[in-house]
Amino acid sequence: MSKQAAFYSQLQQTLSTLQQEGLFKPERVIASRQGSEVTGSDGRMLINMCANNYLGLSGQEWVAQAAIAATEKYGYGLSSVRFICGTQTVHKELEQAISAFLGTEDTILYAAAFDANGGVFEPLFDENDAIISDALNHASIIDGIRLCKAARFRYAHNDMADLEKQLQAAEGKRHKIIVTDGVFSMDGTIAQLDKIVELAEKYGALTMIDECHASGFMGKTGRGTHEHHNVVGKIDIITGTLGKALGGAMGGFTSGRKEVIEMLRQKSRPYLFSNTLAPSIAGASLEVLKRLSSSTELRDRLHENTAYFRKEIERIGFTIKPGTHPVVPVMLFDAQVAQKFAARMYELGVLLSGFFYPVVPMGQARVRVQLSAAHTREQLDTVLKAFEQAGHELGLLKK
Ligand SMILES: *Cc1c(COP(=O)(O)O)cnc(C)c1O
């Protein structure tokens, strides 16, 4: 076998191992707009319970129209990075709108939150500094920290006693920053930002939160986890996505003090060396923020749907991870059961995703439900009935 052929053969082997171990990720093909109900490529109608479409905006006509209007005015794209000739008025307006929404001074846009997290640490921290990171932080935070020379400290997930220990271990470093997902997407766990801010103040550390599963709907007016925990103005750096609740297309941002944002504009590599956000996305995101700032209707509906689903699924007899977030992990514990369950739900017309080891700890297999403001009560009742039926068929329910 030639050296080149050996490379391809090794890839084939690895791929078939993934398949045998049930870790291969097939892609579901949707033939319609994203929404609470979608059409599969086979023409089947499915109630969608696995999108990050928390506010139901992804397939919304008025959002699509706002993107069209921005395209008409600003064109399709800029063929430039921001600092050469890729900044339009709509990008500046969006940055201001995000800052106003989050209660920060300034904001910088990226092509994705992955880039925002990937490009935030290296320009701001070096070997004299310390980054103290939750063990379950998102992959993009982990990668961003890897690209930076700062000393790394990891605290056990959501464990404030361990965070304090790590802050003590980092004592003597010039700058320290605590980094956490605002909400962790696997369990819907909300970071204890009130306690984190307290510890940060005690040890002279900065704070950063990734708000991808929070911006737009957490907190009384949907500003995010910092509003939920009443620490608006006390978080140094906020990263987030335009690709989930805030419209669902793509794009990300970093928000904070103006010196931070100014430095990122000068030095952040995914910003300097990657094309500007499409004007259609900037224009539509701006419309979305306007609506969310003038009414909490979508956010309120999302939380009503979440409370209803959480109560009803427990009444049927399923075990869920307790909480209030629209991510609802329905625990099935066994990997094979979770796979069978998700497959049966698909046959019953419900799209959801099963998770098992190594994505979640051994013995913690589950299906994850994500609620949306777009779900009607009728759709939720259909989904709950399907849960009940599949639960009885697989012998998971007592009654
Ligand atoms: C989805 C997600 C990201 C990445 O967001 P994109 O804009 O899709 O790149 C980053 N962090 C967290 C916590 C996420 O859930």
Side-chain angles (χ1 to χ4, degrees):
M1 200 189 297
S2 72
K3 295 254 190 216
Q4 294 90 330
F7 169 72
Y8 294 108
S9 140
Q10 185 213 314
L11 291 187
Q12 281 166 11
Q13 257 172 28
T14 309
L15 287 166
S16 66
T17 307
L18 285 178
Q19 230 140 13
Q20 282 154 23
E21 291 172 348
L23 298 176
F24 190 86
K25 298 185 255 320
E27 291 180 359
R28 295 184 178 111
V29 181
I30 293 174
S32 63
R33 284 188 185 195
Q34 183 64 283
S36 60
E37 207 165 82
V38 293
T39 313
S41 55
D42 54 2
R44 184 195 274 269
M45 297 288 279
L46 296 154
I47 301 177
N48 191 355
M49 303 305 290
C50 58
N52 303 309
N53 187 16
Y54 296 113
L55 297 175
L57 298 176
S58 307
Q60 268 286 342
E61 185 56 20
W62 65 263
V63 181
Q65 287 306 324
I68 290 168
T71 301
E72 293 285 358
K73 178 163 181 193
Y74 293 100
Y76 175 62
L78 282 144
S79 304
S80 171
V81 297
R82 288 288 297 276
F83 80 93
I84 296 182
C85 54
T87 300
Q88 292 170 312
T89 46
V90 71
H91 297 96
K92 297 313 289 179
E93 283 166 23
L94 177 58
E95 287 173 345
Q96 281 162 18
I98 293 172
S99 307
F101 190 74
L102 297 177
T104 53
E105 282 182 7
D106 200 3
T107 297
I108 175 174
L109 300 174
Y110 288 85
F114 207 104
D115 288 334
N117 286 330
V120 70
F121 299 105
E122 191 259 346
L124 302 175
F125 302 101
D126 67 21
E127 57 275 12
N128 299 306
D129 306 317
I131 300 173
I132 302 141
S133 174
D134 186 289
L136 291 192
N137 275 343
H138 190 261
S140 54
I141 296 178
I142 295 169
D143 285 9
I145 295 173
R146 278 192 191 136
L147 293 171
C148 160
K149 294 203 173 66
R152 298 160 205 181
F153 296 84
R154 214 165 75 133
Y155 63 95
H157 173 52
N158 202 26
D159 180 338
M160 295 299 102
D162 195 34
L163 169 57
E164 181 154 21
K165 256 192 236 156
Q166 300 306 319
L167 282 162
Q168 289 163 353
E171 209 49 58
K173 286 289 178 185
R174 182 182 57 181
H175 306 305
K176 297 186 279 290
I177 184 164
I178 305 168
V179 184
T180 182
D181 285 17
V183 173
F184 294 84
S185 64
M186 242 354 115
D187 286 349
T189 304
I190 303 166
Q192 303 171 66
L193 291 190
D194 45 348
K195 296 187 182 137
I196 288 175
V197 164
E198 240 179 73
L199 285 170
E201 278 166 8
K202 180 168 171 193
Y203 289 92
L206 302 160
T207 50
M208 169 177 152
I209 57 176
D210 172 342
E211 288 283 272
C212 286
H213 289 276
S215 291
F217 60 93
M218 290 300 290
K220 223 168 51 259
T221 64
R223 309 304 159 118
T225 317
H226 59 328
E227 184 183 38
H228 176 86
H229 274 305
N230 218 3
V231 291
V232 173
K234 296 191 175 165
I235 303 293
D236 291 284
I237 300 177
I238 299 177
T239 60
T241 185
L242 304 171
K244 287 175 179 145
L246 298 179
M250 62 187 301
F253 57 81
T254 300
S255 200
R257 289 273 291 269
K258 60 182 185 316
E259 306 85 317
V260 166
I261 303 309
E262 205 54 47
M263 185 59 80
L264 295 176
R265 287 192 206 283
Q266 298 306 312
K267 301 268 188 191
S268 181
R269 292 164 70 83
Y271 183 79
L272 291 174
F273 300 110
S274 186
N275 203 35
T276 192
L277 191 69
S280 55
I281 297 175
S285 302
L286 201 51
E287 269 316 296
V288 166
L289 285 175
K290 266 186 207 151
R291 292 259 180 143
L292 299 187
S293 305
S294 70
S295 160
T296 59
E297 185 196 339
L298 293 173
R299 177 249 172 236
D300 297 343
R301 201 180 309 149
L302 170 63
H303 288 290
E304 276 164 33
N305 281 347
T306 300
Y308 179 72
F309 187 87
R310 281 180 173 273
K311 176 168 68 68
E312 291 300 308
I313 194 78
E314 282 195 304
R315 194 184 53 74
I316 290 170
F318 283 95
T319 304
I320 60 174
K321 292 252 179 185
T324 55
H325 193 270
V327 163
V328 185
V330 182
M331 303 307 292
L332 303 174
F333 307 104
D334 181 87
Q336 284 199 337
V337 171
Q339 267 171 305
K340 272 192 206 146
F341 193 89
R344 182 65 183 130
M345 290 296 278
Y346 185 89
E347 288 169 3
L348 295 172
V350 180
L351 195 56
L352 44 70
S353 41
F355 291 102
F356 34 89
Y357 182 81
V359 177
V360 294
M362 196 75 89
Q364 294 272 300
R366 68 196 61 181
V367 291
R368 180 179 70 176
V369 167
Q370 290 177 284
L371 278 303
S372 169
H375 288 128
T376 62
R377 189 52 62 90
E378 204 181 359
Q379 286 170 333
L380 294 183
D381 286 336
T382 305
V383 170
L384 287 160
K385 268 206 202 96
F387 260 98
E388 195 164 12
Q389 182 179 338
H392 280 302
E393 286 172 6
L394 292 172
L396 304 172
L397 298 174
K398 293 200 177 68
K399 290 170 254 175

